[in-house]
Amino acid sequence: MFRSIRFAAALLLAALCVPQFTAAQGVLVNVNVDQRIALPRPDFIIIHPPHPIPLPHPIPPSPPPSTYKIKELSVHAKLSGQVAKVQVTQSFVNTGSQTMEVCFVFPLPYDGAVDQLTLLVDGKEFAAKLLDAKDARKMYEEIVRKNRDPALLEWVGSGLFKTSVFPVPAGAERKVTLKYTQLCRQLDGATDFLFPLSTAKYTSQPVEKISFDIAIESENDIKNIYSPTHSIDIKRPDDKHANVSYSSKDEIPSSDFRLFYDVGKGHVGTTVLSYRPDDHQDGYYLLLASPEIKSDKAEHQRKTVLFVLDRSGSMAGPKIDQAKAAVKFVLNNLHEGDLFNIVAFDSEIESFKPELQKFNEQTRKEALGFASGIYAGGGTNIDGALKLAFSLLKDKKQPTYVLFMTDGIPTVGETTEAKIVANAKKYNEVRARLFSFGVGYDLNARLLDKLVREMSGLSEFVRPNEDIEARVSALYNRIGSPVMTDLNLKFEVDGLKAEDGAPVNRSYPKEVRDLFAGEQLVIVGRYKKPGDAKVVLTGSVDGKEQKLDFPAKLIDKSKDDSFSFIEKLWAMRRVGEILDEIDLKGKNEELVKELVTLATKHGILTPYTSFMADDHTNVHDLTMNIDRAGVNLDSLQKESEGRGAVAQRAAKSAFQNAGRAGGNSNFNAALEATRTEAAQQAQSNAGGAAVGGFKGAPAAVPLILPAAPGQINAPAASGSPLYVDDQDKVVVVNNVKQIGRKAFYYRNNRWVDSAVSEAQEKKPIEIKRFSPEYFELVDKYGKDVTKYMTIDEPVTVELGGQAYAF
């Protein structure tokens, strides 16, 4: 949304009352036809106010006479079937020095039908004129040619509404409210609600407050709700209603807001979306699966929950108090009939009871008393604790979850990493899933990762200033109610022969054991043969075997990049798997080569490929870059303990469990926790940046903070990626852009598409901006090129096998 705002400010400075496209978000356009003013661009990344980081593009020498900011933008929508009733409210503030005569422009949301549109300015209704895509394009091109600014080209092909002219005095605020009804697209059985925000990159200031409140209602059960772009909050009061919300403050949005949902009947709902940009290469698929909603009174499948709690001396203080609170939270949320026990360990090991207990009010109270009496002291006998814990488990059929909390390195009993893992695998005869919580930095991070890898679980790392209870309770809220266990999922594709091999490959996560109520399963992978397919899901529901199947369509060749986020999401998870393989089994040249190739193509930066952001790195020199990554990866294999070890495993886990192609909001939450330190570091790092250009601007600005899981590659302004380095610092990269499905690197005063070969880069077709050939390129490639033409520095991009430079 910040992009929309910046874009809005830009249009305000435009010379004509010409529409620019900001679907579902409008802009003010200055009607002064005598001025030639380019749309404004942000000159900083807002990491957390007030911590600006300079961006690597020229800054105008002085502010334009007319400018504005969007103070607040709120979106309320009601989705019923494919119909969306939307109300958008925007507060514009004239931050210039003179009265602006403006009209409000509202670009149409993609190609969906829009009607019943009403525009209010400070409560007064304004008439709106509709321009179809053809007439709108004439206006887009007119303002682009006049202002010598390519920004509006991104929305060529879209229609728009615009109001009559109204004044905005200097310093005044105008509240514009837009109400409309839209027919959403339906793609592969999923309804696609799109609210473009990328226009916000054309503004001088971030949006102060952004909020989405979306209500979904359906005659059939609502199954999957998924946003590939934003970290949304979902509440489901019942199976036919859902509420989706998202909010942010002082942030520059990096992508449009997009939401998918589907409906259907049955125990589980499944949707498959596919993307295949090259029909000579394997395609990409995204599978979403959600179980039906159970009421609070519904009978839950019984499970076993076993706590293994480190009470060694190093846990003394807030850590042991938080760990005990976490145990108590779970105890208070078990279901009648669940089995449980508590194993506490230091040098010695003891359990709450000698055998599993059936959960009821009496055992709950007794267990709470036992937890209250746990105190820290002694050494760390991890092997012995796991041996006792697994010996309590006897039932292979009932889903079993072990919650293992430790802050230490094994010092008592068996202390060899490999032997502890081998022993735990032998002890675990019931195939229990183990979830580890590594507390602080003074622990063996690789040991925890190896344990959960062998036991189909997840490892989480709780930084020193984070709350253990919050992390454990969040996990339990996900896994507290298993719906289907011992899952087996496969694809069946029409016409596929045995000799063709498996229908899908390289699917992540590799293994999915259970499906939980309220949790959505997100699987991404590759497919070789397109066509009609069937997804077959088998598993156990309340102890009974069930088999479900769902239709799917694996596309032969994608017509556009609507689903390009699937490829990026797959690449992020694949990077996580590569790092995990190297970490646990050792590196080899094939894995390092694949890591470098994926990082280069998609602009995915890791501690081991961060050199890609170096201006002097030749992205075409694969051999050299493999060597550099290989050297950097030595730290992953050498460091098993300490801050660096924890940082690297947390970063790896974030890639493995990425839920969106654009990262998530944990980044801002983590910065909130250490904003003072981050501000000091930001000011120190930004101090040498030259105002007004690239010279001296830092390629990467590190901010010290505890990096939350999932924040990897959360994009900043203008598509700048972030990553967490091997010392747990967040690094903002300024000379790499992620735009659409492409990554661009800033080299020799030019942004170069990663898909451009070394030979193509030397001999591109030169296109002069705003020339007839420039607009012919728009005619030929449409939106496949316009999003890249809006980069206002020199660009080289590959299109249809040819490199173009403008």
Side-chain angles (χ1 to χ4, degrees):
M1 301 194 123
F2 293 128
R3 289 190 173 181
S4 329
I5 296 173
R6 307 207 157 174
F7 177 85
L11 272 189
L12 167 66
L13 305 176
L16 300 172
C17 186
V18 183
Q20 56 185 74
F21 177 59
T22 44
Q25 127 121 30
V27 295
L28 299 184
V29 179
N30 196 320
V31 298
N32 186 340
V33 296
D34 298 324
Q35 294 179 337
R36 173 184 287 182
I37 306 174
L39 305 184
R41 271 68 165 170
D43 56 4
F44 53 83
I45 298 173
I46 291 295
I47 294 301
H48 191 293
H51 314 319
I53 307 298
L55 279 175
H57 63 65
I59 300 171
S62 61
S66 298
T67 184
Y68 69 84
K69 71 175 182 179
I70 297 178
K71 185 175 181 180
E72 182 176 356
L73 192 155
S74 64
V75 179
H76 295 269
K78 183 176 182 179
L79 309 183
S80 180
Q82 286 182 252
V83 177
K85 294 184 177 181
V86 184
Q87 176 174 304
V88 184
T89 300
Q90 294 173 259
S91 295
F92 296 90
V93 178
N94 181 352
T95 55
S97 58
Q98 61 187 30
T99 297
M100 300 185 302
E101 296 293 330
V102 299
C103 64
F104 178 80
V105 171
F106 172 68
L108 297 180
Y110 54 79
D111 56 358
V114 174
D115 62 9
Q116 299 181 22
L117 187 142
T118 303
L119 280 167
L120 303 172
V121 179
D122 289 345
K124 179 182 178 181
E125 185 168 346
F126 272 65
K129 180 180 179 181
L130 170 65
L131 283 76
D132 62 21
K134 182 179 179 181
D135 290 336
R137 171 166 180 168
K138 292 179 181 178
M139 299 186 74
Y140 287 133
E141 288 196 11
E142 183 179 356
I143 195 170
V144 167
R145 292 176 192 273
K146 179 183 185 300
N147 285 340
R148 316 294 287 179
D149 186 347
L152 296 184
L153 287 177
E154 187 169 352
W155 298 280
V156 164
S158 302
L160 61 88
F161 286 90
K162 68 171 184 176
T163 68
S164 53
V165 175
F166 59 92
V168 185
E173 179 177 340
R174 290 286 183 264
K175 181 174 287 188
V176 178
T177 300
L178 173 67
K179 299 178 182 179
Y180 65 93
T181 301
Q182 172 192 351
L183 182 65
C184 299
R185 293 181 294 189
Q186 196 162 55
L187 303 168
D188 295 332
T191 298
D192 180 10
F193 176 73
L194 174 67
F195 191 101
L197 304 177
S198 60
T199 52
K201 59 179 173 281
Y202 303 111
T203 185
S204 59
Q205 298 182 44
V207 181
E208 293 183 15
K209 182 180 179 181
I210 299 169
S211 63
F212 278 82
D213 186 4
I214 303 171
I216 306 174
E217 64 178 18
S218 172
E219 295 181 358
N220 294 315
D221 294 353
I222 299 170
K223 295 300 184 182
N224 297 289
I225 302 174
Y226 174 70
S227 173
T229 57
H230 290 75
S231 188
I232 57 176
D233 181 53
I234 303 172
K235 290 183 171 57
R236 296 173 179 257
D238 56 53
D239 54 9
K240 291 180 172 59
H241 294 83
N243 294 98
V244 177
S245 59
Y246 170 78
S247 63
S248 65
K249 294 181 179 180
D250 298 308
E251 182 184 345
I252 303 170
S254 59
S255 65
D256 297 336
F257 181 91
R258 201 166 182 191
L259 182 73
F260 292 97
Y261 76 93
D262 63 357
V263 299
K265 298 179 179 180
H267 198 65
V268 177
T270 298
T271 291
V272 175
L273 305 176
S274 59
Y275 175 66
R276 197 182 190 207
D278 185 344
D279 55 9
H280 294 95
Q281 301 289 333
D282 286 3
Y284 302 85
Y285 78 87
L286 168 72
L287 183 147
L288 306 173
S290 295
E292 64 184 357
I293 307 301
K294 287 191 173 183
S295 68
D296 292 337
K297 297 181 180 180
E299 184 175 343
H300 295 269
Q301 180 167 340
R302 293 180 180 179
K303 62 184 179 297
T304 298
V305 177
L306 184 61
F307 304 95
V308 182
L309 175 59
D310 185 347
R311 62 178 183 189
S312 60
S314 58
M315 286 285 289
K319 287 193 285 188
I320 195 66
D321 293 337
Q322 291 177 7
K324 288 158 61 174
V327 172
K328 292 177 181 180
F329 172 85
V330 177
L331 286 172
N332 287 324
N333 285 275
L334 291 173
H335 298 133
E336 196 80 18
D338 286 345
L339 298 177
F340 76 99
N341 209 332
I342 305 170
V343 173
F345 71 96
D346 45 46
S347 303
E348 304 296 325
I349 306 159
E350 71 171 313
S351 61
F352 163 53
K353 296 288 184 180
E355 58 188 19
L356 294 176
Q357 298 295 294
K358 183 173 289 188
F359 181 78
N360 54 42
E361 186 58 22
Q362 181 62 32
T363 57
R364 183 185 72 85
K365 291 179 179 179
E366 293 176 359
L368 289 173
F370 177 83
S372 296
I374 295 175
Y375 299 97
T380 308
N381 189 350
I382 290 178
D383 183 70
L386 293 176
K387 182 177 182 180
L388 174 59
F390 286 124
S391 71
L392 299 172
L393 306 175
K394 307 298 182 183
D395 190 348
K396 294 182 179 180
K397 294 183 179 180
Q398 183 158 304
T400 300
Y401 310 107
V402 177
L403 306 184
F404 177 42
M405 291 173 273
T406 181
D407 78 333
I409 297 165
T411 58
V412 178
E414 181 58 67
T415 59
T416 304
E417 180 183 298
K419 288 185 179 180
I420 292 175
V421 175
N423 287 345
K425 187 177 180 181
K426 180 176 65 176
Y427 302 149
N428 186 10
E429 297 180 351
V430 302
R431 297 181 68 242
R433 293 185 65 179
L434 186 143
F435 298 88
S436 72
F437 296 85
V439 184
Y441 292 123
D442 298 324
L443 49 82
N444 188 324
R446 184 166 58 210
L447 170 62
L448 299 184
D449 267 14
K450 285 185 175 181
L451 285 169
V452 301
R453 177 70 175 253
E454 292 291 345
M455 297 175 208
S456 304
L458 292 172
S459 54
E460 296 208 27
F461 295 96
V462 186
R463 270 72 170 196
N465 64 340
E466 290 183 309
D467 191 333
I468 307 166
E469 179 188 359
R471 299 288 287 277
V472 174
S473 59
L475 174 73
Y476 183 75
N477 284 334
R478 284 176 48 205
I479 69 170
S481 299
V483 173
M484 181 176 279
T485 60
D486 296 321
L487 293 181
N488 181 39
L489 188 147
K490 66 178 183 178
F491 278 75
E492 297 178 357
V493 179
D494 292 353
L496 187 70
K497 300 176 183 177
E499 57 268 29
D500 294 331
V504 299
N505 57 81
R506 293 165 287 174
S507 298
Y508 306 110
K510 279 187 174 181
E511 182 182 23
V512 180
R513 288 269 295 276
D514 304 326
L515 185 60
F516 302 98
E519 183 183 37
Q520 183 164 266
L521 183 62
V522 180
I523 299 177
V524 287
R526 306 291 300 271
Y527 65 90
K528 181 175 293 185
K529 182 178 175 57
D532 293 327
K534 181 168 64 175
V535 179
V536 180
L537 182 64
T538 58
S540 176
V541 178
D542 294 325
K544 298 178 181 178
E545 292 298 317
Q546 284 203 14
K547 179 179 179 180
L548 308 170
D549 59 73
F550 310 88
K553 175 75 173 179
L554 301 177
I555 197 165
D556 181 33
K557 179 73 165 65
S558 296
K559 297 179 180 179
D560 54 39
D561 291 338
S562 295
F563 288 157
S564 62
F565 66 85
I566 301 175
E567 178 181 0
K568 177 66 179 296
L569 181 58
W570 177 86
M572 293 177 69
R573 288 196 180 179
R574 177 58 187 159
V575 164
E577 287 300 319
I578 291 172
L579 295 178
D580 197 48
E581 286 289 321
I582 292 173
D583 184 17
L584 304 185
K585 298 180 181 179
K587 68 181 180 183
N588 61 63
E589 187 170 346
E590 284 89 5
L591 287 176
V592 178
K593 179 181 179 180
E594 187 179 0
L595 173 65
V596 172
T597 301
L598 286 172
T600 303
K601 178 180 179 181
H602 297 283
I604 299 174
L605 299 182
T606 70
Y608 322 105
T609 58
S610 58
F611 56 83
M612 301 302 296
D614 187 332
D615 290 349
H616 303 293
T617 296
N618 181 354
V619 296
H620 304 298
D621 193 341
L622 186 60
T623 300
M624 175 63 73
N625 294 337
I626 289 173
D627 290 343
R628 294 180 70 178
V631 172
N632 293 344
L633 281 161
D634 288 342
S635 64
L636 181 63
Q637 296 182 281
K638 291 177 181 178
E639 295 186 45
S640 61
E641 303 168 3
R643 181 176 186 139
V646 169
Q648 293 180 83
R649 272 74 191 188
K652 177 185 70 175
S653 178
F655 278 115
Q656 287 178 292
N657 300 295
R660 286 161 299 283
N664 70 33
S665 61
N666 283 340
F667 176 66
N668 282 341
L671 281 161
E672 176 69 36
T674 56
R675 60 183 176 180
T676 301
E677 186 177 10
Q680 295 171 348
Q681 186 70 21
Q683 291 168 4
S684 172
N685 285 315
V691 177
F694 290 95
K695 191 177 253 184
V701 181
L703 305 178
I704 301 174
L705 71 154
Q711 73 180 54
I712 303 302
N713 259 48
S718 301
S720 302
L722 312 173
Y723 72 95
V724 179
D725 72 7
D726 60 3
Q727 290 302 310
D728 221 18
K729 298 176 184 177
V730 170
V731 179
V732 182
V733 177
N734 289 341
N735 52 6
V736 180
K737 285 181 183 287
Q738 298 166 349
I739 302 177
R741 63 183 178 87
K742 290 181 176 291
F744 290 83
Y745 295 86
Y746 193 75
R747 299 290 186 270
N748 300 318
N749 299 318
R750 172 175 292 274
W751 289 101
V752 182
D753 178 3
S754 65
V756 173
S757 68
E758 193 164 13
Q760 288 175 327
E761 188 174 354
K762 292 177 180 177
K763 293 185 178 181
I765 294 178
E766 298 283 349
I767 303 288
K768 185 178 180 180
R769 285 187 188 264
F770 316 116
S771 66
E773 293 78 14
Y774 184 74
F775 289 100
E776 286 173 6
L777 206 60
V778 176
D779 290 333
K780 183 176 181 179
Y781 291 104
K783 292 186 180 296
D784 285 344
V785 66
T786 53
K787 63 173 72 75
Y788 311 124
M789 298 175 86
T790 59
I791 302 174
D792 44 355
E793 293 89 37
V795 179
T796 301
V797 62
E798 182 273 333
L799 298 165
Q802 174 63 55
Y804 296 90
F806 43 82

